[in-house]
């Protein structure tokens, strides 16, 4: 084997290895959507309940603590920021810390309510951070008396952990919807 072809092969193997590593650890965006129907409940009630972050510890069992860091606005457009800690549902020994910014809006004329949020979640003592965005809409159902609560989440995750991230997002979102139903269907 001559020296040039050995170097070419070595370079090609290194290049292919770097490409494989890149496609394994690169961060991609994923989308998760969920919804629930709350019969006989006007849309402002679940909207108000979820907009109050102190209720998140009931809705999302992974959250362990939180602090509201900033707050402004009124009933029609309220903004606040929060720092919170949570344990992962499928790996509870790994805690993460997040900063989130919320915009809570209502349109009383159309009976439409929305909570938009942007989250920056950091793992490994803040050395690895991922972002997510959520839009949680609450509206009156046209088919039955009650509210439709719909959440769309766009989140980042390394490609090789996509199944783990999806399970985590699904667990949290389903817990929120299930606990929201428990809260409003028992009243």
């Amino acid at each position: 084997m001559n020296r040039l072809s050995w170097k070419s092969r070595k370079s090609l193997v290194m290049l292919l290895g770097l490409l494989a590593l890149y496609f394994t650890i690169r961060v991609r965006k994923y989308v998760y959507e969920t919804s629930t129907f709350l019969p006989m409940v006007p849309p402002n009630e679940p909207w108000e309940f979820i907009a109050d972050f102190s209720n998140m510890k009931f809705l999302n069992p992974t959250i362990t603590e939180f602090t509201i860091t900033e707050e402004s606005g009124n009933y029609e457009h309220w903004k606040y920021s929060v720092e919170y800690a949570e344990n992962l549902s499928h790996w509870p020994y790994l805690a993460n810390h997040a900063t989130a910014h919320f915009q809570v809006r209502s349109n009383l004329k159309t009976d439409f309510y929305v909570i938009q949020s942007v989250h920056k979640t950091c793992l490994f003592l803040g050395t690895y951070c991922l972002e997510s965005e959520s839009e949680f809409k609450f509206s009156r159902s046209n088919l039955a008396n009650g509210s439709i609560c719909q959440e769309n989440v766009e989140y980042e995750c390394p490609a090789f952990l996509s199944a783990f991230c999806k399970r985590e997002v699904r667990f949290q979102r389903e817990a929120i919807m299930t606990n929201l139903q428990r809260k409003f269907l028992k009243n």
Side-chain angles (χ1 to χ4, degrees):
M1 177 182 331
N2 79 32
R3 185 173 171 94
L4 184 59
S5 64
W6 181 80
K7 283 186 176 182
S8 296
R9 282 189 206 152
K10 185 177 178 183
S11 297
L12 181 62
V13 167
M14 284 180 51
L15 178 64
L16 291 175
L18 288 173
L19 281 172
L21 181 64
Y22 168 76
F23 284 109
T24 301
I25 64 171
R26 77 181 170 129
V27 173
R28 295 187 58 206
K29 289 191 177 196
Y30 301 89
V31 175
Y32 186 79
E33 298 177 5
T34 186
S35 64
T36 193
F37 175 71
L38 301 174
M40 308 301 288
V41 177
N44 66 306
E45 290 182 18
W47 171 76
E48 288 174 356
F49 188 77
I50 291 177
D52 181 354
F53 199 85
S54 64
N55 294 322
M56 269 300 154
K57 285 180 85 169
F58 165 75
L59 292 170
N60 183 348
T62 64
I63 293 178
T64 58
E65 61 184 78
F66 72 93
T67 303
I68 303 293
T69 59
E70 191 176 338
E71 182 172 24
S72 67
N74 57 34
Y75 189 80
E76 291 179 351
H77 189 187
W78 175 35
K79 296 179 187 180
Y80 67 94
S81 297
V82 63
E83 292 177 357
Y84 62 94
E86 63 183 350
N87 293 325
L88 298 176
S89 64
H90 293 88
W91 196 11
Y93 307 107
L94 181 60
N96 62 60
H97 298 275
T99 302
H101 305 285
F102 289 84
Q103 291 200 41
V104 182
R105 293 188 175 128
S106 66
N107 186 331
L108 302 176
K109 293 176 186 170
T110 61
D111 217 13
F112 181 78
Y113 305 87
V114 67
I115 302 169
Q116 296 171 312
S117 59
V118 177
H119 303 252
K120 182 176 182 181
T121 304
C122 298
L123 301 136
F124 310 117
L125 301 172
T127 59
Y128 188 71
C129 299
L130 299 167
E131 293 186 3
S132 63
E133 292 183 28
S134 168
E135 183 174 67
F136 213 139
K137 299 182 217 175
F138 306 83
S139 58
R140 188 168 303 282
S141 171
N142 293 331
L143 302 176
N145 185 16
S147 299
I148 298 172
C149 307
Q150 178 183 6
E151 186 179 24
N152 298 318
V153 179
E154 183 177 299
Y155 62 96
E156 293 180 334
C157 183
F160 77 101
L161 290 176
S162 64
F164 177 80
C165 292
K166 183 176 182 178
R167 264 195 348 247
E168 189 66 30
V169 169
R170 182 184 304 144
F171 173 85
Q172 289 183 15
R173 290 7 279 166
E174 287 178 3
I176 289 170
M177 293 301 187
T178 298
N179 290 329
L180 189 62
Q181 287 177 336
R182 282 187 186 133
K183 163 70 178 154
F184 286 98
L185 296 182
K186 74 176 184 178
N187 289 342

